[in-house]
PDB file of all heavy atoms in Angstrom:
ATOM      1  N   ARG B  81     -23.763 -25.358 189.951  1.00 98.00           N
ATOM      2  CA  ARG B  81     -22.289 -25.919 190.062  1.00 98.00           C
ATOM      3  C   ARG B  81     -21.484 -25.495 188.827  1.00 98.00           C
ATOM      4  O   ARG B  81     -20.353 -25.202 189.036  1.00 98.00           O
ATOM      5  CB  ARG B  81     -22.526 -27.505 190.124  1.00 98.00           C
ATOM      6  CG  ARG B  81     -21.362 -28.107 190.882  1.00 98.00           C
ATOM      7  CD  ARG B  81     -21.466 -29.470 191.147  1.00 98.00           C
ATOM      8  NE  ARG B  81     -20.519 -29.951 191.958  1.00 98.00           N
ATOM      9  CZ  ARG B  81     -20.440 -31.269 192.457  1.00 98.00           C
ATOM     10  NH1 ARG B  81     -21.242 -32.233 192.090  1.00 98.00           N
ATOM     11  NH2 ARG B  81     -19.444 -31.646 193.243  1.00 98.00           N
ATOM     12  N   GLU B  82     -22.127 -25.442 187.719  1.00 97.00           N
ATOM     13  CA  GLU B  82     -21.343 -25.063 186.554  1.00 97.00           C
ATOM     14  C   GLU B  82     -21.460 -23.640 186.183  1.00 97.00           C
ATOM     15  O   GLU B  82     -20.667 -23.190 185.302  1.00 97.00           O
ATOM     16  CB  GLU B  82     -21.973 -25.921 185.291  1.00 97.00           C
ATOM     17  CG  GLU B  82     -21.836 -27.330 185.440  1.00 97.00           C
ATOM     18  CD  GLU B  82     -20.601 -27.996 184.895  1.00 97.00           C
ATOM     19  OE1 GLU B  82     -19.794 -27.308 184.077  1.00 97.00           O
ATOM     20  OE2 GLU B  82     -20.061 -29.076 185.125  1.00 97.00           O
ATOM     21  N   GLY B  83     -22.278 -22.937 186.830  1.00 96.00           N
ATOM     22  CA  GLY B  83     -22.483 -21.422 186.509  1.00 96.00           C
ATOM     23  C   GLY B  83     -23.133 -21.128 185.170  1.00 96.00           C
ATOM     24  O   GLY B  83     -22.785 -20.353 184.426  1.00 96.00           O
ATOM     25  N   VAL B  84     -24.189 -22.021 184.857  1.00 97.00           N
ATOM     26  CA  VAL B  84     -24.904 -21.953 183.722  1.00 97.00           C
ATOM     27  C   VAL B  84     -26.401 -21.908 183.920  1.00 97.00           C
ATOM     28  O   VAL B  84     -26.702 -22.067 185.051  1.00 97.00           O
ATOM     29  CB  VAL B  84     -24.460 -23.022 182.579  1.00 97.00           C
ATOM     30  CG1 VAL B  84     -23.123 -22.996 182.259  1.00 97.00           C
ATOM     31  CG2 VAL B  84     -24.891 -24.442 183.160  1.00 97.00           C
ATOM     32  N   THR B  85     -27.208 -21.745 182.889  1.00 98.00           N
ATOM     33  CA  THR B  85     -28.620 -21.761 183.090  1.00 98.00           C
ATOM     34  C   THR B  85     -29.052 -23.123 183.257  1.00 98.00           C
ATOM     35  O   THR B  85     -28.620 -24.072 182.534  1.00 98.00           O
ATOM     36  CB  THR B  85     -29.386 -21.000 181.985  1.00 98.00           C
ATOM     37  OG1 THR B  85     -29.205 -21.814 180.843  1.00 98.00           O
ATOM     38  CG2 THR B  85     -28.887 -19.662 181.729  1.00 98.00           C
ATOM     39  N   PRO B  86     -30.153 -23.490 183.984  1.00 98.00           N
ATOM     40  CA  PRO B  86     -30.858 -24.751 184.076  1.00 98.00           C
ATOM     41  C   PRO B  86     -31.372 -25.114 182.620  1.00 98.00           C
ATOM     42  O   PRO B  86     -31.312 -26.344 182.360  1.00 98.00           O
ATOM     43  CB  PRO B  86     -32.032 -24.543 185.045  1.00 98.00           C
ATOM     44  CG  PRO B  86     -31.662 -23.262 185.811  1.00 98.00           C
ATOM     45  CD  PRO B  86     -30.796 -22.440 184.890  1.00 98.00           C
ATOM     46  N   GLU B  87     -31.625 -24.085 181.877  1.00 98.00           N
ATOM     47  CA  GLU B  87     -32.172 -24.568 180.504  1.00 98.00           C
ATOM     48  C   GLU B  87     -31.178 -25.074 179.632  1.00 98.00           C
ATOM     49  O   GLU B  87     -31.360 -26.046 178.870  1.00 98.00           O
ATOM     50  CB  GLU B  87     -32.838 -23.233 179.849  1.00 98.00           C
ATOM     51  CG  GLU B  87     -33.740 -23.467 178.724  1.00 98.00           C
ATOM     52  CD  GLU B  87     -34.689 -24.531 178.943  1.00 98.00           C
ATOM     53  OE1 GLU B  87     -35.175 -24.746 180.025  1.00 98.00           O
ATOM     54  OE2 GLU B  87     -34.953 -25.385 177.884  1.00 98.00           O
ATOM     55  N   LEU B  88     -29.883 -24.618 179.751  1.00 98.00           N
ATOM     56  CA  LEU B  88     -28.717 -25.216 179.007  1.00 98.00           C
ATOM     57  C   LEU B  88     -28.480 -26.605 179.404  1.00 98.00           C
ATOM     58  O   LEU B  88     -28.354 -27.551 178.568  1.00 98.00           O
ATOM     59  CB  LEU B  88     -27.533 -24.365 179.118  1.00 98.00           C
ATOM     60  CG  LEU B  88     -26.240 -24.943 178.460  1.00 98.00           C
ATOM     61  CD1 LEU B  88     -26.388 -24.797 177.002  1.00 98.00           C
ATOM     62  CD2 LEU B  88     -24.881 -24.292 178.989  1.00 98.00           C
ATOM     63  N   VAL B  89     -28.638 -26.835 180.662  1.00 98.00           N
ATOM     64  CA  VAL B  89     -28.379 -28.168 181.204  1.00 98.00           C
ATOM     65  C   VAL B  89     -29.537 -29.203 180.643  1.00 98.00           C
ATOM     66  O   VAL B  89     -29.091 -30.218 180.118  1.00 98.00           O
ATOM     67  CB  VAL B  89     -28.480 -28.108 182.799  1.00 98.00           C
ATOM     68  CG1 VAL B  89     -28.344 -29.568 183.342  1.00 98.00           C
ATOM     69  CG2 VAL B  89     -27.333 -27.352 183.294  1.00 98.00           C
ATOM     70  N   ARG B  90     -30.710 -28.704 180.674  1.00 98.00           N
ATOM     71  CA  ARG B  90     -31.781 -29.482 180.175  1.00 98.00           C
ATOM     72  C   ARG B  90     -31.652 -29.857 178.749  1.00 98.00           C
ATOM     73  O   ARG B  90     -31.773 -30.821 178.324  1.00 98.00           O
ATOM     74  CB  ARG B  90     -33.116 -28.829 180.474  1.00 98.00           C
ATOM     75  CG  ARG B  90     -34.373 -29.633 180.431  1.00 98.00           C
ATOM     76  CD  ARG B  90     -35.657 -29.007 180.072  1.00 98.00           C
ATOM     77  NE  ARG B  90     -35.629 -28.129 178.938  1.00 98.00           N
ATOM     78  CZ  ARG B  90     -35.605 -28.606 177.654  1.00 98.00           C
ATOM     79  NH1 ARG B  90     -35.729 -29.873 177.343  1.00 98.00           N
ATOM     80  NH2 ARG B  90     -35.549 -27.770 176.687  1.00 98.00           N
ATOM     81  N   ASP B  91     -31.378 -28.769 177.993  1.00 98.00           N
ATOM     82  CA  ASP B  91     -31.212 -28.906 176.564  1.00 98.00           C
ATOM     83  C   ASP B  91     -30.127 -29.889 176.156  1.00 98.00           C
ATOM     84  O   ASP B  91     -30.265 -30.669 175.282  1.00 98.00           O
ATOM     85  CB  ASP B  91     -30.644 -27.563 175.907  1.00 98.00           C
ATOM     86  CG  ASP B  91     -31.837 -26.731 175.212  1.00 98.00           C
ATOM     87  OD1 ASP B  91     -32.911 -27.200 175.443  1.00 98.00           O
ATOM     88  OD2 ASP B  91     -31.509 -25.635 174.837  1.00 98.00           O
ATOM     89  N   GLU B  92     -28.919 -29.810 176.963  1.00 98.00           N
ATOM     90  CA  GLU B  92     -27.838 -30.585 176.428  1.00 98.00           C
ATOM     91  C   GLU B  92     -28.166 -32.160 176.919  1.00 98.00           C
ATOM     92  O   GLU B  92     -27.780 -33.011 176.112  1.00 98.00           O
ATOM     93  CB  GLU B  92     -26.584 -30.314 177.162  1.00 98.00           C
ATOM     94  CG  GLU B  92     -25.986 -28.801 176.591  1.00 98.00           C
ATOM     95  CD  GLU B  92     -25.592 -28.969 175.135  1.00 98.00           C
ATOM     96  OE1 GLU B  92     -24.704 -29.736 174.968  1.00 98.00           O
ATOM     97  OE2 GLU B  92     -26.191 -28.240 174.250  1.00 98.00           O
ATOM     98  N   ILE B  93     -28.811 -32.357 177.992  1.00 98.00           N
ATOM     99  CA  ILE B  93     -29.172 -33.737 178.394  1.00 98.00           C
ATOM    100  C   ILE B  93     -30.307 -34.188 177.412  1.00 98.00           C
ATOM    101  O   ILE B  93     -30.168 -35.327 176.896  1.00 98.00           O
ATOM    102  CB  ILE B  93     -29.763 -33.766 179.784  1.00 98.00           C
ATOM    103  CG1 ILE B  93     -28.666 -33.390 180.744  1.00 98.00           C
ATOM    104  CG2 ILE B  93     -30.306 -35.041 180.094  1.00 98.00           C
ATOM    105  CD1 ILE B  93     -29.145 -33.340 182.284  1.00 98.00           C
ATOM    106  N   ALA B  94     -31.335 -33.478 177.007  1.00 98.00           N
ATOM    107  CA  ALA B  94     -32.317 -33.893 176.079  1.00 98.00           C
ATOM    108  C   ALA B  94     -31.737 -34.230 174.687  1.00 98.00           C
ATOM    109  O   ALA B  94     -32.163 -35.107 174.082  1.00 98.00           O
ATOM    110  CB  ALA B  94     -33.304 -32.653 175.923  1.00 98.00           C
ATOM    111  N   SER B  95     -30.718 -33.439 174.335  1.00 98.00           N
ATOM    112  CA  SER B  95     -30.162 -33.842 173.003  1.00 98.00           C
ATOM    113  C   SER B  95     -29.165 -35.049 173.007  1.00 98.00           C
ATOM    114  O   SER B  95     -28.717 -35.468 172.005  1.00 98.00           O
ATOM    115  CB  SER B  95     -29.350 -32.635 172.434  1.00 98.00           C
ATOM    116  OG  SER B  95     -28.186 -32.431 173.224  1.00 98.00           O
ATOM    117  N   GLY B  96     -28.860 -35.421 174.158  1.00 98.00           N
ATOM    118  CA  GLY B  96     -27.968 -36.626 174.293  1.00 98.00           C
ATOM    119  C   GLY B  96     -26.459 -36.103 174.424  1.00 98.00           C
ATOM    120  O   GLY B  96     -25.529 -36.969 174.560  1.00 98.00           O
ATOM    121  N   ARG B  97     -26.311 -34.730 174.226  1.00 98.00           N
ATOM    122  CA  ARG B  97     -24.938 -34.376 174.364  1.00 98.00           C
ATOM    123  C   ARG B  97     -24.308 -34.242 175.693  1.00 98.00           C
ATOM    124  O   ARG B  97     -23.022 -34.032 175.916  1.00 98.00           O
ATOM    125  CB  ARG B  97     -24.792 -32.938 173.603  1.00 98.00           C
ATOM    126  CG  ARG B  97     -25.016 -32.976 172.103  1.00 98.00           C
ATOM    127  CD  ARG B  97     -24.725 -31.540 171.603  1.00 98.00           C
ATOM    128  NE  ARG B  97     -25.559 -30.530 172.084  1.00 98.00           N
ATOM    129  CZ  ARG B  97     -26.834 -30.229 171.507  1.00 98.00           C
ATOM    130  NH1 ARG B  97     -27.159 -30.730 170.303  1.00 98.00           N
ATOM    131  NH2 ARG B  97     -27.462 -29.177 171.995  1.00 98.00           N
ATOM    132  N   ALA B  98     -25.075 -34.437 176.704  1.00 98.00           N
ATOM    133  CA  ALA B  98     -24.623 -34.451 178.052  1.00 98.00           C
ATOM    134  C   ALA B  98     -25.337 -35.599 178.812  1.00 98.00           C
ATOM    135  O   ALA B  98     -26.508 -35.882 178.555  1.00 98.00           O
ATOM    136  CB  ALA B  98     -24.902 -33.114 178.638  1.00 98.00           C
ATOM    137  N   VAL B  99     -24.653 -36.207 179.872  1.00 98.00           N
ATOM    138  CA  VAL B  99     -25.232 -37.045 180.711  1.00 98.00           C
ATOM    139  C   VAL B  99     -25.183 -36.646 182.214  1.00 98.00           C
ATOM    140  O   VAL B  99     -24.216 -35.806 182.568  1.00 98.00           O
ATOM    141  CB  VAL B  99     -24.683 -38.552 180.571  1.00 98.00           C
ATOM    142  CG1 VAL B  99     -24.983 -39.063 179.097  1.00 98.00           C
ATOM    143  CG2 VAL B  99     -23.198 -38.498 181.050  1.00 98.00           C
ATOM    144  N   LEU B 100     -26.226 -36.985 182.870  1.00 98.00           N
ATOM    145  CA  LEU B 100     -26.158 -36.779 184.365  1.00 98.00           C
ATOM    146  C   LEU B 100     -26.327 -38.030 185.021  1.00 98.00           C
ATOM    147  O   LEU B 100     -27.561 -38.466 185.366  1.00 98.00           O
ATOM    148  CB  LEU B 100     -27.288 -35.740 184.655  1.00 98.00           C
ATOM    149  CG  LEU B 100     -27.333 -34.973 186.019  1.00 98.00           C
ATOM    150  CD1 LEU B 100     -28.203 -33.747 185.973  1.00 98.00           C
ATOM    151  CD2 LEU B 100     -27.626 -35.832 187.172  1.00 98.00           C
ATOM    152  N   PRO B 101     -25.240 -38.746 185.334  1.00 98.00           N
ATOM    153  CA  PRO B 101     -25.350 -40.076 185.870  1.00 98.00           C
ATOM    154  C   PRO B 101     -25.807 -40.097 187.332  1.00 98.00           C
ATOM    155  O   PRO B 101     -25.102 -39.420 188.147  1.00 98.00           O
ATOM    156  CB  PRO B 101     -23.902 -40.669 185.826  1.00 98.00           C
ATOM    157  CG  PRO B 101     -23.062 -39.577 185.133  1.00 98.00           C
ATOM    158  CD  PRO B 101     -23.807 -38.309 185.252  1.00 98.00           C
ATOM    159  N   ALA B 102     -26.974 -40.616 187.541  1.00 98.00           N
ATOM    160  CA  ALA B 102     -27.531 -40.558 188.874  1.00 98.00           C
ATOM    161  C   ALA B 102     -28.551 -41.831 189.059  1.00 98.00           C
ATOM    162  O   ALA B 102     -29.686 -41.574 188.937  1.00 98.00           O
ATOM    163  CB  ALA B 102     -28.287 -39.319 189.003  1.00 98.00           C
ATOM    164  N   ASN B 103     -27.976 -42.935 189.486  1.00 98.00           N
ATOM    165  CA  ASN B 103     -28.780 -44.220 189.825  1.00 98.00           C
ATOM    166  C   ASN B 103     -29.760 -43.784 190.903  1.00 98.00           C
ATOM    167  O   ASN B 103     -29.143 -43.219 192.061  1.00 98.00           O
ATOM    168  CB  ASN B 103     -27.894 -45.351 190.179  1.00 98.00           C
ATOM    169  CG  ASN B 103     -28.647 -46.489 190.406  1.00 98.00           C
ATOM    170  OD1 ASN B 103     -29.780 -46.597 191.002  1.00 98.00           O
ATOM    171  ND2 ASN B 103     -28.162 -47.704 190.005  1.00 98.00           N
ATOM    172  N   ARG B 104     -30.963 -44.070 190.915  1.00 98.00           N
ATOM    173  CA  ARG B 104     -31.914 -43.789 192.058  1.00 98.00           C
ATOM    174  C   ARG B 104     -31.489 -44.399 193.290  1.00 98.00           C
ATOM    175  O   ARG B 104     -32.016 -44.017 194.372  1.00 98.00           O
ATOM    176  CB  ARG B 104     -33.288 -44.200 191.481  1.00 98.00           C
ATOM    177  CG  ARG B 104     -33.556 -45.575 191.400  1.00 98.00           C
ATOM    178  CD  ARG B 104     -35.075 -45.916 191.190  1.00 98.00           C
ATOM    179  NE  ARG B 104     -35.379 -47.120 190.648  1.00 98.00           N
ATOM    180  CZ  ARG B 104     -35.605 -48.205 191.339  1.00 98.00           C
ATOM    181  NH1 ARG B 104     -35.628 -48.195 192.608  1.00 98.00           N
ATOM    182  NH2 ARG B 104     -35.936 -49.471 190.694  1.00 98.00           N
TER     183      ARG B 104
END
Side-chain angles (χ1 to χ4, degrees):
Chain B
R81 205 168 192 184
E82 298 267 346
V84 299
T85 64
E87 196 47 35
L88 176 71
V89 173
R90 194 202 59 75
D91 259 3
E92 291 296 300
I93 294 173
S95 70
R97 287 189 300 268
V99 296
L100 196 162
N103 183 321
R104 65 173 162 92

